[in-house]
């Protein structure tokens, strides 16, 4: 290239960066001045998709992510991005938990949608992308509902994607899921002071099951270049296994739970192996920047790697992985709410169902019965309130929905017993004829039933001792189209970084939680509205399509970069300063 050519190239690059910066600044300041984000309407889906593409063009010009919040994200936006910017990309989701479980009943087969934040987030995405979802077939009738290739079209009645079930032996399930994932990694990653248990036999099962799922991904891939969305701590080894066999695949791993600091992580006997497995991913996502930072620090401590903090990138073994925060969210439930009774009717029917007086305040907790959720701590806060403010005895009921979970493990059995015992004690101590302050319902509830409970509540308590995000908090505010209700939210849940108007509490401090309860009980409707409104706006704008869309945009960027690097013979160049050369090469190729 001549000197003149190089100068011209620099001018073009600087001009394009300058223009991008101006465009982003203009858009953000427009939003700050109160302009709503781009509007999507039936005839205007293209407008939203075009806006998404524009974001992507800005993103490409800058070589880094721009604020994708400027787009209104919808299923259509995702479909357009896939069609236009990731053509022919097959989306494959891998998770342990399946989105639809078929169970045998006396009178036939029952369909169950599990109580899982992962499922409620991924389901609409897979529907929108018409993808393939690979998961463990754990239902007692799962084998009777698949075809000869272990596949079943879902959702039932309105199929839009394919569920491919993987079968596990009793020993595999015990070792990989109950053992290594839930007695090892789960307590390791959550600060809940439950000791992790690591057994060599569980590790072997974990490795074997990861291999089995990786084989299934390869078998289901229609070509060499799928986008594989790997979900959670059940599959730390799978990303590398897939990349070794499908080097052109984009593997996006999302870790739905917290990542501990490196000292805590060092407890794990297979710590290096897990990191190496995860670094087979093209992108690793966490809910918060804090956990993304913990991960990077952990890699820094245990692997010989190259870390470019400014680029949020780690190079290991000749491959680069981006480490980003993508806060997960929910699908805005407009359609669901349209089917539900009005708030007043929900209040009345729930009070009738549980025999509560009309003037009793209702505080709800909705979760799997898990020791990370702070259920006992919330009962303790209730007791503190009754001790300090006895005028509330008889006027407040805590309804605890606790979906059964991992019930064969000792730590969960113990929690189950302790929760029921404490609830019983509180009912004996503070209950009276026709009044039980704690109602525990240890049953699975459908999404509609859960939303009805949210709508009937005066207060929702999310008091996790530690939580990646916690989607119950987001569902509660989404359910309240009357802009009423108070959210008590643990500072140790990722959601507290986004739902800033909640009453933020420390679940380890029962005195503080009881004060927050009192504040919630006595809050004026106007203050409730003032707090609820911005939280609803936050969840509506930052919906689950944005979560997935941001990752797909990053995937598109990586794919394009990979294609250019392959074409110019510069594949596997590390990020950072050396990348300037690669940027030149990309522009040169683009201009030629
Ligand atoms: O919170 C982590 C997580 O894997 C979620 O993603 C999921 O909602 C939940 O645990 C479900 O747990 P399980 O599938 O073990 O019942």
């Amino acid at each position: 290239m001549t000197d003149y050519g190089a100068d011209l190239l620099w001018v073009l690059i600087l001009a394009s960066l300058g223009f991008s910066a101006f465009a982003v600044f203009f858009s953000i300041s427009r939003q700050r001045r109160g302009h709503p984000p781009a509007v999507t309407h039936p005839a205007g889906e293209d407008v939203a998709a075009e806006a998404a593409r524009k974001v992507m063009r800005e993103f490409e010009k800058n070589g880094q992510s721009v604020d994708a919040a400027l787009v209104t994200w919808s299923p259509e936006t995702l479909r357009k991005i896939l069609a236009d910017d990731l053509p022919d990309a097959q989306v494959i989701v891998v998770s342990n938990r399946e989105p639809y479980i078929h169970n045998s009943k006396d009178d036939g087969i029952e369909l169950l949608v599990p109580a899982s934040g992962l499922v409620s987030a991924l389901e609409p995405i897979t529907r929108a992308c018409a993808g393939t979802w690979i998961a463990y077939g754990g239902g007692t009738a799962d084998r009777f509902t698949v075809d000869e290739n272990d596949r079943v079209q879902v959702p039932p009645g309105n199929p839009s994607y394919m569920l491919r079930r993987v079968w596990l032996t009793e020993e595999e399930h015990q070792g990989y899921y109950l053992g290594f994932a839930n007695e090892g990694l789960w307590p390791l990653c959550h600060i809940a002071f439950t000791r992790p248990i690591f057994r060599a036999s569980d590790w072997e099962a974990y490795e074997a099951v990861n291999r089995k799922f990786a084989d299934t991904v390869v078998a289901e891939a229609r070509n060499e270049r799928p986008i594989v969305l790997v979900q959670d701590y059940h599959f730390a080894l799978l990303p590398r296994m897939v990349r070794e066999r499908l080097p052109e695949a984009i593997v996006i791993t999302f870790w739905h739970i917290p990542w501990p600091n490196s000292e805590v992580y060092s407890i794990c006997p297979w710590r290096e192996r897990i990191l190496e497995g995860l670094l087979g991913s093209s992108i690793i996502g966490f809910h918060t920047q804090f956990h993304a930072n913990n991960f990077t620090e952990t890699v820094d401590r245990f692997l010989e790697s190259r870390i470019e903090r400014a680029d949020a990138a780690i190079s290991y073994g000749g491959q680069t992985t981006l480490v980003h925060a993508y806060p997960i969210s929910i699908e805005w439930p407009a359609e669901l709410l349209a089917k539900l009774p009005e708030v007043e009717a929900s209040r009345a029917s729930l009070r009738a169902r549980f025999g509560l007086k009309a003037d009793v305040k209702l505080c709800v907790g909705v979760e799997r019965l898990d020791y990370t959720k702070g259920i006992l701590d919330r009962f303790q806060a209730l007791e503190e309130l009754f001790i300090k403010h006895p005028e509330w005895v008889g006027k407040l009921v805590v309804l605890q929905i606790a979906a059964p979970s991992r019930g064969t493990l000792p730590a969960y059995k113990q929690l189950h017993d302790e929760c029921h015992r404490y609830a019983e004690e509180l009912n004996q101590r503070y209950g009276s004829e026709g009044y039980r302050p704690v109602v525990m319902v240890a049953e699975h509830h459908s999404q509609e039933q859960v939303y009805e409970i949210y709508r009937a509540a005066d207060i929702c308590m999310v008091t996790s001792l530690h939580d990646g995000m916690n989607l119950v908090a987001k569902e509660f505010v989404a359910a309240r189209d009357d802009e009423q209700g108070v959210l008590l939210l643990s500072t140790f849940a990722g959601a507290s970084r986004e739902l800033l108007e909640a009453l933020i509490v420390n679940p380890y401090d029962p005195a503080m939680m009881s004060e927050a309860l009192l504040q919630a009980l006595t809050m004026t409707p106007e203050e409730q509205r003032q707090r609820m409104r911005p939280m609803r706006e936050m969840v509506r704008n930052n919906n689950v399509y944005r979560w997935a869309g941001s990752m797909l945009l990053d995937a598109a960027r990586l794919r394009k970069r990979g294609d250019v690097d392959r074409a110019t013979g510069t594949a596997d160049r590390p990020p950072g300063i050396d990348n300037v050369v690669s940027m030149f090469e990309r522009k040169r190729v683009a201009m030629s």
Side-chain angles (χ1 to χ4, degrees):
M1 189 183 295
T2 62
D3 284 353
Y4 173 76
D7 287 351
L8 183 63
L9 192 54
W10 268 115
V11 169
L12 281 172
I13 290 169
L14 290 174
S16 90
L17 287 174
F19 178 76
S20 307
F22 172 76
V24 172
F25 171 78
F26 175 76
S27 307
I28 290 172
S29 58
R30 185 179 145 81
Q31 241 197 0
R32 288 214 177 114
R33 286 197 306 268
H35 291 279
V39 179
T40 307
H41 47 82
E45 301 288 10
D46 279 352
V47 175
E50 181 46 36
R53 272 198 298 278
K54 193 167 157 236
V55 167
M56 197 170 124
R57 283 196 291 271
E58 300 299 338
F59 167 95
E60 281 180 320
K61 271 188 255 167
N62 286 315
Q64 59 185 6
S65 198
V66 293
D67 192 353
L70 304 176
V71 177
T72 298
W73 290 95
S74 68
E76 190 54 29
T77 326
L78 287 191
R79 280 194 284 269
K80 280 279 184 190
I81 288 175
L82 277 175
D84 298 351
D85 301 301
L86 289 162
D88 302 328
Q90 176 195 10
V91 173
I92 301 180
V93 175
V94 187
S95 73
N96 171 71
R97 188 61 66 191
E98 55 181 343
Y100 296 96
I101 304 177
H102 288 101
N103 281 327
S104 300
K105 284 270 163 194
D106 292 344
D107 51 351
I109 290 178
E110 175 201 60
L111 183 77
L112 190 87
V113 177
S116 156
L118 181 156
V119 166
S120 51
L122 263 297
E123 217 277 333
I125 302 303
T126 321
R127 255 189 281 131
C129 301
T132 300
W133 188 325
I134 300 172
Y136 160 55
T140 50
D142 276 352
R143 283 179 193 266
F144 310 133
T145 46
V146 292
D147 66 13
E148 65 282 9
N149 296 311
D150 300 327
R151 297 173 179 156
V152 54
Q153 293 291 328
V154 287
N158 184 20
S160 51
Y161 67 93
M162 201 252 298
L163 171 60
R164 164 73 197 268
R165 286 179 172 144
V166 175
W167 315 116
L168 300 180
T169 64
E170 201 41 50
E171 294 72 47
E172 281 174 331
H173 187 250
Q174 175 69 40
Y176 134 85
Y177 171 75
L178 289 169
F180 195 75
N182 284 321
E183 285 191 297
L185 291 179
W186 179 267
L188 180 77
C189 292
H190 289 91
I191 306 173
F193 304 98
T194 298
R195 184 185 165 129
I197 300 171
F198 292 110
R199 303 179 193 91
S201 55
D202 290 347
W203 168 253
E204 280 160 25
Y206 186 81
E207 201 174 4
V209 171
N210 270 248
R211 171 98 36 217
K212 194 180 243 192
F213 273 80
D215 291 346
T216 313
V217 171
V218 175
E220 290 295 337
R222 286 196 294 267
N223 59 37
E224 302 277 295
R225 293 156 62 88
I227 307 276
V228 187
L229 304 178
V230 182
Q231 304 305 310
D232 233 347
Y233 59 101
H234 309 92
F235 296 113
L237 303 179
L238 179 139
R240 182 160 297 280
M241 292 172 176
V242 169
R243 280 299 286 269
E244 277 166 3
R245 293 168 66 188
L246 296 173
E248 287 188 40
I250 298 271
V251 181
I252 304 177
T253 301
F254 196 81
W255 195 263
H256 288 258
I257 63 177
W259 188 276
N261 70 39
S262 62
E263 195 168 7
V264 170
Y265 180 77
S266 70
I267 292 171
C268 179
W270 297 278
R271 59 198 185 192
E272 288 87 2
R273 293 284 311 281
I274 287 174
L275 295 175
E276 281 167 355
L278 285 170
L279 290 176
S281 315
S282 325
I283 300 173
I284 301 179
F286 295 91
H287 293 299
T288 65
Q289 191 55 48
F290 195 75
H291 295 142
N293 293 349
N294 274 355
F295 178 78
T296 305
E297 293 307 324
T298 307
V299 173
D300 199 13
R301 180 156 169 195
F302 293 113
L303 294 184
E304 283 293 330
S305 56
R306 174 174 171 149
I307 296 177
E308 288 292 347
R309 285 188 168 72
D311 301 304
I314 299 176
S315 294
Y316 177 74
Q319 197 201 312
T320 300
T321 303
L322 299 182
V323 182
H324 279 186
Y326 303 94
I328 204 168
S329 194
I330 59 168
E331 182 175 31
W332 188 247
E335 278 179 33
L336 178 64
L337 293 194
K339 285 191 259 167
L340 290 179
E342 291 298 320
V343 165
E344 275 314 313
S346 297
R347 288 177 73 88
S349 75
L350 213 81
R351 279 166 170 72
R353 193 182 325 152
F354 292 104
L356 312 182
K357 289 194 195 132
D359 60 346
V360 152
K361 292 272 188 187
L362 183 63
C363 173
V364 299
V366 179
E367 48 250 308
R368 289 178 306 102
L369 189 57
D370 195 294
Y371 54 78
T372 60
K373 302 294 180 185
I375 298 172
L376 288 168
D377 306 83
R378 127 183 9 155
F379 290 171
Q380 213 179 331
L382 177 72
E383 179 154 34
E384 286 265 337
L385 179 85
F386 284 162
I387 292 168
K388 283 198 240 146
H389 300 278
E391 67 276 15
W392 281 100
V393 175
K395 294 186 188 147
L396 168 65
V397 167
V398 171
L399 170 63
Q400 180 61 54
I401 307 295
S405 178
R406 308 170 193 171
T408 55
L409 295 180
Y412 288 79
K413 277 192 199 148
Q414 187 184 333
L415 177 77
H416 174 276
D417 295 349
E418 282 177 5
C419 284
H420 282 273
R421 196 180 315 125
Y422 197 7
E424 208 30 61
E425 276 171 29
L426 290 172
N427 286 340
Q428 279 177 9
R429 232 172 278 154
Y430 300 100
S432 52
E433 183 65 32
Y435 171 67
R436 284 185 307 154
V438 181
V439 179
M440 282 271 295
V441 187
E443 277 166 26
H444 179 81
H445 284 66
S446 70
Q447 201 192 29
E448 277 175 38
Q449 290 169 325
V450 166
Y451 268 79
E452 203 178 349
I453 291 168
Y454 294 141
R455 282 162 76 76
D458 297 290
I459 301 166
C460 178
M461 278 183 110
V462 175
T463 58
S464 313
L465 302 181
H466 206 191
D467 219 328
M469 173 55 72
N470 193 293
L471 291 182
V472 166
K474 293 189 173 180
E475 285 175 356
F476 175 66
V477 300
R480 299 312 298 257
D481 52 6
D482 61 338
E483 299 180 339
Q484 293 297 292
V486 183
L487 176 63
L488 253 73
L489 179 55
S490 165
T491 187
F492 305 121
S496 69
R497 310 290 125 192
E498 294 183 280
L499 301 176
L500 306 177
E501 293 79 11
L503 297 184
I504 305 293
V505 293
N506 175 358
Y508 289 92
D509 184 347
M512 182 235 203
M513 280 221 286
S514 70
E515 285 306 314
L517 250 183
L518 183 66
Q519 190 184 345
L521 288 165
T522 53
M523 193 181 284
T524 64
E526 186 45 32
E527 184 177 344
Q528 292 182 39
R529 185 166 296 112
Q530 280 173 5
R531 289 175 180 272
M532 192 53 94
R533 199 172 278 174
M535 290 196 286
R536 285 173 56 75
E537 198 166 318
M538 214 294 304
V539 177
R540 190 190 299 119
N541 292 339
N542 298 286
N543 63 20
V544 73
Y545 298 108
R546 181 189 173 195
W547 172 73
S550 315
M551 289 191 280
L552 289 179
L553 285 173
D554 285 357
R557 175 167 73 99
L558 287 182
R559 169 136 296 163
K560 286 180 183 181
R561 180 185 160 180
D563 288 349
V564 173
D565 283 352
R566 262 186 293 278
T568 56
T570 54
D572 293 333
R573 187 182 295 282
I577 192 75
D578 300 346
N579 197 31
V580 173
V581 182
S582 160
M583 199 167 137
F584 261 123
E585 283 158 356
R586 285 211 302 282
K587 289 281 172 191
R588 185 170 54 75
V589 170
M591 290 170 77
S592 65

